[in-house]
Amino acid sequence: MTHAASTESKVPQAGTALDPTEPDGGVVGLKKPKPGKAKKPGESPNIFAGVFGWVWLAVIILPIYYIIITSFRTSQDLRANNQLIPTAEPTLDAFILVIQNDFFHFFFNSVIVTASTVAVVLAVSLMAAYYITRSTTWGGTRLFQLILLGIAIPVQATIIPVYYLIRQLGLYDTLWALILPQIAFAIPLSVLIIVNFVRDIPNELFESMRVDGAGEWKILGSLVVPMAKPALMTVGIYQALQVWNGFLFPLVLTQSRDVRVLPLSLWEYQGQFGINVPATLAAVVLSALPLLVAYILGRRYIVAGLTAGFGK
């Protein structure tokens, strides 16, 4: 009798509110969950990865920091003070000196070569990727395999044949000598990136446009180009970076000052200015600005373009 009464006293009656001051409203035997995020078994902070990440960031940032602060110095200030501390008297003399020595002439040569190369690479790679992904014959697969062979061929191994070919075509020491070879070597990787993105476009969209009477060029311009915009942006920025910073082809395939591009002109600045380190680094800063702007404008497309199709 006493035991039954004791049990009934612990069970809350219907219609009565639970006491918030007691654990679980007065109900005995239930554990109240603890606030906060539950940790997975064996989960612990990766201290080594965090430290390594900060060290790697310092390795990357320190050269950029040094280039920027040094470009605002004079040669005398660079030798007299700590090189890692910004100068108390910044000056634009190094930038003025670089601009006065035909910097914009070399800059426009680089713009012509880069813009021409990237435009042709995007057009050719997009059409090739569209044919490869939509072709139902053996030709599409064979073409893709043939194009991918170009990725395995290093540029340095072909520089002598390329030099001989350019000489035979009469294009040596012209901007065409820089544009044509770089187009050829940029197409394989560009096709690979764009193909993986075009394959993700639903087949129903192609069929619906064909039902509406659209031809291949209409589908390519109205469907594939807008849908493949992240891949095109990725290819454009990546290939612009490669062409803009290319040094081997300008060194081997050009000679005169009139067709000189920025990477080769920086090499000339080093000899022309001697030990004038601020002037050389000022030229580096000016030459890097266009690509920095292009990356800032298109950075959100790069990851999507590079990872398209690889998760399937």
Side-chain angles (χ1 to χ4, degrees):
M1 183 71 177
T2 307
H3 176 71
S6 175
T7 304
E8 290 177 359
S9 64
K10 296 180 181 179
V11 180
Q13 300 296 326
T16 60
L18 299 178
D19 187 0
T21 61
E22 297 184 6
D24 303 305
V27 180
V28 180
L30 297 178
K31 293 183 178 181
K32 187 175 183 180
K34 295 181 180 181
K37 183 179 178 181
K39 290 186 177 181
K40 297 181 180 179
E43 183 180 4
S44 60
N46 194 338
I47 300 177
F48 175 77
V51 173
F52 180 79
W54 282 106
V55 171
W56 184 249
L57 178 63
V59 171
I60 296 175
I61 293 296
L62 185 60
I64 299 175
Y65 165 78
Y66 178 78
I67 290 173
I68 294 176
I69 65 172
T70 305
S71 63
F72 291 96
R73 294 178 181 269
T74 62
S75 297
Q76 295 77 10
D77 181 61
L78 182 66
R79 291 190 295 266
N81 299 301
N82 190 331
Q83 298 184 11
L84 293 179
I85 298 178
T87 178
E89 299 178 355
T91 178
L92 296 176
D93 291 345
F95 291 92
I96 296 173
L97 180 61
V98 169
I99 292 174
Q100 290 176 346
N101 283 269
D102 295 334
F103 175 83
F104 284 113
H105 177 74
F106 305 142
F107 177 84
F108 286 122
N109 283 343
S110 291
V111 169
I112 293 172
V113 172
T114 303
S116 303
T117 302
V118 172
V120 176
V121 167
L122 288 178
V124 174
S125 301
L126 178 63
M127 290 186 289
Y130 177 70
Y131 172 76
I132 291 169
T133 54
R134 305 306 302 171
S135 176
T136 57
T137 63
W138 65 272
T141 303
R142 296 296 180 268
L143 177 62
F144 192 41
Q145 294 173 350
L146 181 63
I147 291 176
L148 291 183
L149 287 176
I151 300 179
I153 302 175
V155 176
Q156 294 80 3
T158 62
I159 191 62
I160 295 178
V162 169
Y163 171 79
Y164 180 77
L165 180 61
I166 292 297
R167 294 284 300 194
Q168 292 298 111
L169 293 175
L171 299 177
Y172 180 77
D173 203 24
T174 65
L175 293 180
W176 285 107
L178 305 179
I179 296 172
L180 296 179
Q182 294 186 101
I183 290 175
F185 284 100
I187 286 177
L189 182 59
S190 302
V191 171
L192 176 62
I193 295 175
I194 299 176
V195 161
N196 283 291
F197 207 94
V198 175
R199 281 176 177 167
D200 289 344
I201 301 177
N203 189 56
E204 292 77 8
L205 298 179
F206 291 98
E207 298 300 332
S208 63
M209 291 198 68
R210 286 195 174 91
V211 170
D212 293 338
E216 299 295 340
W217 289 106
K218 180 67 174 178
I219 296 175
L220 181 65
S222 301
L223 175 62
V224 178
V225 171
M227 295 291 289
K229 186 178 179 181
L232 296 176
M233 291 290 294
T234 300
V235 170
I237 294 175
Y238 176 79
Q239 297 300 346
L241 178 65
Q242 298 300 309
V243 176
W244 188 272
N245 293 329
F247 182 79
L248 182 61
F249 284 138
L251 178 64
V252 177
L253 302 178
T254 61
Q255 184 176 5
S256 64
R257 185 181 177 87
D258 293 337
V259 295
R260 189 161 293 168
V261 292
L262 277 178
L264 200 60
S265 69
L266 296 179
W267 183 43
E268 176 190 302
Y269 286 153
Q270 184 178 0
Q272 180 178 351
F273 298 139
I275 59 173
N276 194 341
V277 178
T280 304
L281 296 185
V284 172
V285 172
L286 291 176
S287 64
L289 286 178
L291 288 180
L292 179 62
V293 173
Y295 174 78
I296 292 175
L297 295 177
R299 67 186 183 277
R300 66 191 183 98
Y301 296 104
I302 293 179
V303 175
L306 288 175
T307 58
F310 289 102
K312 292 188 174 182

